[in-house]
Amino acid sequence: MCGIFGIVGSKRKELGRTLLKGIKRLEYRGYDSVGMAALDKGKIKVKKAAGAVDKADKKLNFSELKGHIGITHSRWSTHGGVTDFNAHPHQSCDKNITIVHNGIIENYEEIKSDLIKKGHKFRSETDSEVIAHYFEEKIKQKPIKQACVDFLKEIEGTFAVLMMKNDEEKIYALKRDSPLVLGICEEYNILGSDIYAFSDRTDKAVFFDNDEFAVIEKDKYQFYDTKGKKITKKIQTFVWEQEESLKEKYPHFMIKEIMEEPRVVKRLLMSLKTDQKDNFNKFIDMIIKAEKVIFAASGTSYHAALLGVYYFHRCSDVCGIEAQALIASEFEHFANVDSNTLVIAVSQSGETMDVIEALKFAKKRKAKIASMVNVPYSSIQRMSDISLQVLAGQEICVAATKSFVNQVTLLLSIAKEFGFKINLDTLSERIEEMLAKKDEIKKIAKKIYKNKDLYVLGRGLSYPVAREVALKIKEISYIHAEGMMGGELKHGTIALIEKGTPVISLISNKDYDMLSNTKEVEARGAKIIKVTNEFDGDIKINTSNDGKFGVLAAIFGQLLTYYMALELNLPVDKPRNLAKSVTVK
Ligand code: G6P
């Protein structure tokens, strides 16, 4: 959460525009407020305001900022409300130090009260502001590099920090747990929360590891370890499909990304036979060698993982792969991990802090780590023993759609290797057919979008899908939705069913139990929307395969959500309070 971006060596008149472009590319990480600082002729100018980038830009005209060095930040609030004052950058009392920060300074209260005693005046309610005052105080006694060493020692919590000083043409960058990467360009250097920040400018990057800091200048840079000793870092060359970040003819990224699903599925399946073949085989080998598999994931990725468990258990008629899926933030409380366990992280961003923490816990217990990530070179990928790419391409809408479809396709491909029966070659075609039902789905959306509550029921493979459909509806349409096991409803929640309550029922094949659960709510007046490949229904899914049903029913939910949000006139791509990459616990 929070996007940070900085440049050293910009053309003077282009600085504001470059910062604006950079932060827009990271806005999916949070859009509560935005701010910029530009160093021009020995003076730092700061502009910041609450609101998303376009709104703040209209008010402040960021493009007019000039200089060769600048930093910028888009915020997802943790400490302190969504206000102009709490927006980054933050400055020291003497305005000599200016910082942007992504992460949480856990011991900020302690540090703050100490600094207040020394006479510092704070202007915001954030934890981040202490960083500026901390350095102001430190550099009274020692060189700034030594202060960086102290910072790594004394600060508890997570951070990616970019810092400017009035009198230096440099950016100081420090990192622990929050993502930070340096992009190397010919005439300047760029820093960003991830490679999206600068993938239109360079394909060369240096990834910060934990507890490192670096001093970045126009044409050189130097990394340091916790003791302040110089370290040499590897420059990575990355490949990224640029055209995917453009909205093209679609009104929203969400619908553009849903419509890309047939294509990205094909691309993934092809890569598993070509570029990713070796890795795929090694991945399979690691599953064979493990006594059990535990998935760690959050949000939509957790639902993909839960589907994975279902498919893994059904790889053969006798006994499938021993697998379990845990929500990453609860991993350490519920996982029984040892050196014979393979922990598989599933993550679109590859940066979700809860997943990273789960992996750290698993590593300590000597488990092997595998991952499936969409954003290449992400932290989760880099901390894995083996990693497969989801290859959905850049996903900009905060709600995951095409990345979910490709995560599930990847899990199905693995399950197939172990005997799960599915012909994946026709999956892309089936998705096209599902997308062609968009007008039917739009009609359903128009019928139910005014409801305050709705329920989505599933059983077996359709249970994780029911949860995913409900999550999409909550995130994007702001309608309270519960995704439930059909069989569990009668143990309490059925009390909430009233005349007209919409209940979406996902019935794959001859699931008569699911059909009975549907009848039970219908008898109590619920408005049923039946999604089925077997019985009469509102949406007919054209597959008899349970694996494909899971994917197609989820796509139904994505389209339904999109059309409900349109009816409600909601900000589809940037739903309130959410962020795409959640880098806090
Ligand atoms: C956030 C996003 C969700 C996403 C979840 C997990 O909450 O808003 O869309 O499913 O994080 O993210 P990951 O990147 O690990 O898949």
Side-chain angles (χ1 to χ4, degrees):
M1 350 215 61
C2 300
I4 62 175
F5 179 90
I7 181 165
V8 191
S10 164
K11 291 206 172 93
R12 185 171 173 269
K13 285 189 183 154
E14 280 174 20
L15 182 63
R17 278 196 299 278
T18 305
L19 293 175
L20 193 57
K21 201 166 163 208
I23 206 61
K24 269 184 98 83
R25 292 172 74 90
L26 294 174
E27 206 187 358
Y28 70 89
R29 303 179 66 88
Y31 29 83
D32 287 338
S33 61
V34 64
M36 292 181 187
L39 173 63
D40 194 27
K41 299 178 181 162
K43 261 204 158 160
I44 291 179
K45 189 167 179 184
V46 171
K47 287 179 182 240
K48 57 183 190 175
V53 176
D54 284 343
K55 191 177 156 212
D57 187 39
K58 267 197 196 118
K59 195 165 142 192
L60 299 172
N61 189 15
F62 290 123
S63 306
E64 66 155 38
L65 285 172
K66 292 187 188 59
H68 301 294
I69 302 187
I71 53 178
T72 171
H73 181 275
S74 78
R75 178 170 186 241
W76 187 87
S77 321
T78 58
H79 296 58
V82 180
T83 64
D84 292 354
F85 280 128
N86 289 336
H88 297 220
H90 294 290
Q91 292 190 291
S92 54
C93 295
D94 61 4
K95 304 225 161 122
N96 182 26
I97 302 280
T98 307
I99 64 102
V100 291
H101 167 227
N102 170 25
I104 292 180
I105 305 299
E106 284 166 6
N107 55 343
Y108 84 100
E109 279 179 344
E110 216 176 297
I111 296 172
K112 189 170 172 175
S113 63
D114 191 43
L115 288 164
I116 288 172
K117 274 184 216 143
K118 291 183 174 136
H120 288 260
K121 299 246 171 336
F122 283 76
R123 301 175 198 96
S124 77
E125 306 148 331
T126 66
D127 54 329
S128 309
E129 193 185 342
V130 296
I131 301 170
H133 298 275
Y134 175 94
F135 276 101
E136 177 181 17
E137 197 57 36
K138 282 278 173 185
I139 61 173
K140 285 180 188 160
Q141 308 133 22
K142 49 179 82 172
I144 190 155
K145 262 188 237 150
Q146 197 48 48
C148 289
V149 170
D150 287 1
F151 185 86
L152 295 181
K153 215 183 298 157
E154 291 166 10
I155 298 293
E156 286 165 26
T158 61
F159 48 83
V161 175
L162 302 183
M163 174 168 63
M164 301 197 311
K165 254 174 112 239
N166 269 342
D167 50 355
E168 290 188 29
E169 299 269 306
K170 293 172 189 167
I171 291 180
Y172 292 84
L174 304 97
K175 125 111 188 175
R176 181 188 301 149
D177 286 337
S178 303
L180 188 59
V181 52
L182 167 70
I184 299 164
C185 306
E186 269 185 20
E187 293 173 6
Y188 50 87
N189 284 314
I190 285 196
L191 290 141
S193 296
D194 58 42
I195 55 169
Y196 292 154
F198 49 70
S199 52
D200 56 334
R201 295 165 184 272
T202 180
D203 61 356
K204 289 187 185 53
V206 181
F207 293 90
F208 282 72
D209 286 304
N210 281 340
D211 289 298
E212 285 180 354
F213 70 96
V215 185
I216 313 298
E217 295 179 58
K218 179 178 183 287
D219 45 12
K220 59 178 181 194
Y221 61 87
Q222 180 62 55
F223 279 72
Y224 299 89
D225 68 8
T226 43
K227 296 201 172 91
K229 244 179 66 197
K230 287 184 182 173
I231 40 178
T232 311
K233 302 275 293 182
K234 204 171 144 206
I235 299 177
Q236 315 250 18
T237 306
F238 63 86
V239 187
W240 193 246
E241 275 188 56
Q242 202 39 53
E243 85 282 358
E244 295 207 7
S245 55
L246 308 168
K247 218 189 307 165
E248 293 159 11
K249 58 183 193 251
Y250 295 101
H252 298 100
F253 281 111
M254 183 176 185
I255 191 70
K256 171 192 175 260
E257 288 159 4
I258 293 172
M259 291 301 162
E260 278 171 3
E261 288 168 349
R263 183 165 70 83
V264 299
V265 161
K266 266 196 197 155
R267 176 169 65 193
L268 171 65
L269 292 173
M270 178 53 76
S271 86
L272 297 179
K273 293 178 193 154
T274 54
D275 306 1
Q276 297 209 84
K277 192 173 171 200
D278 284 355
N279 251 10
F280 185 65
N281 291 338
K282 281 184 202 149
F283 205 101
I284 300 288
D285 224 45
M286 282 178 86
I287 296 177
I288 294 171
K289 286 191 185 125
E291 264 172 23
K292 64 177 172 192
V293 165
I294 310 184
F295 290 101
S298 307
T300 290
S301 298
Y302 168 71
H303 298 146
L306 208 51
L307 262 176
V309 171
Y310 180 90
Y311 299 138
F312 278 21
H313 285 180
R314 268 148 202 83
C315 286
S316 88
D317 294 339
V318 196
C319 176
I321 304 163
E322 182 59 46
Q324 179 191 10
L326 291 173
I327 288 190
S329 57
E330 289 294 332
F331 191 87
E332 65 173 82
H333 303 128
F334 289 93
N336 187 10
V337 180
D338 63 18
S339 57
N340 296 317
T341 312
L342 176 66
V343 174
I344 305 182
V346 184
S347 174
Q348 188 287 127
S349 62
E351 298 294 348
T352 303
M353 181 64 77
D354 290 331
V355 180
I356 292 176
E357 289 294 312
L359 296 187
K360 282 186 188 163
F361 172 86
K363 270 190 176 208
K364 262 194 218 145
R365 279 156 186 76
K366 311 252 178 310
K368 298 268 175 317
I369 308 293
S371 62
M372 300 176 178
V373 297
N374 191 39
V375 178
Y377 316 98
S378 51
S379 304
I380 291 174
Q381 186 182 71
R382 286 180 291 123
M383 68 195 286
S384 307
D385 298 308
I386 188 153
S387 187
L388 284 171
Q389 291 201 40
V390 167
L391 290 183
Q394 185 173 9
E395 198 176 56
I396 291 178
C397 173
V398 164
T401 54
K402 60 175 180 169
S403 64
F404 173 81
V405 167
N406 265 20
Q407 286 168 343
V408 178
T409 304
L410 187 48
L411 289 160
L412 282 168
S413 306
I414 295 170
K416 187 172 159 57
E417 290 295 308
F418 287 91
F420 185 81
K421 290 189 184 57
I422 186 164
N423 174 8
L424 285 164
D425 294 337
T426 57
L427 178 59
S428 173
E429 221 174 292
R430 296 286 94 82
I431 295 176
E432 301 259 15
E433 289 163 6
M434 192 69 222
L435 297 177
K437 291 183 194 289
K438 64 179 191 327
D439 291 334
E440 282 172 61
I441 299 172
K442 202 187 277 181
K443 279 190 197 142
I444 299 176
K446 281 185 195 274
K447 279 189 203 151
I448 61 172
Y449 77 92
K450 285 188 183 146
N451 283 80
K452 287 218 161 47
D453 297 286
L454 63 82
Y455 298 86
V456 193
L457 303 185
R459 237 178 206 268
L461 85 115
S462 66
Y463 161 62
V465 183
R467 289 188 58 153
E468 172 56 14
V469 174
L471 179 64
K472 284 281 98 66
I473 294 173
K474 283 184 277 199
E475 286 177 307
I476 308 296
S477 315
Y478 303 165
I479 295 172
H480 171 252
E482 223 177 305
M484 293 202 59
M485 298 163 176
E488 186 62 11
L489 189 79
K490 59 185 175 294
H491 298 292
T493 311
I494 201 164
L496 298 174
I497 304 293
E498 293 174 345
K499 194 164 181 301
T501 308
V503 174
I504 299 168
S505 179
L506 310 176
I507 315 177
S508 181
N509 291 317
K510 290 188 167 48
D511 189 343
Y512 288 107
D513 289 336
M514 192 56 225
L515 198 61
S516 306
N517 297 145
T518 310
K519 293 271 179 223
E520 286 154 18
V521 281
E522 197 170 17
R524 283 156 181 89
K527 193 195 291 175
I528 303 293
I529 295 134
K530 216 185 284 165
V531 179
T532 169
N533 53 1
E534 179 71 30
F535 305 104
D536 285 343
D538 299 84
I539 290 290
K540 195 80 188 199
I541 297 218
N542 182 22
T543 181
S544 58
N545 181 277
D546 273 351
K548 285 183 208 163
F549 185 92
V551 175
L552 300 175
I555 294 173
F556 154 80
Q558 295 171 355
L559 288 169
L560 181 75
T561 300
Y562 177 69
Y563 291 120
M564 289 204 289
L566 285 193
E567 290 298 328
L568 293 160
N569 204 14
L570 293 172
V572 174
D573 290 331
K574 288 185 208 148
R576 71 179 172 218
N577 303 341
L578 299 183
K580 190 149 188 75
S581 182
V582 181
T583 53
V584 292
K585 274 199 252 178

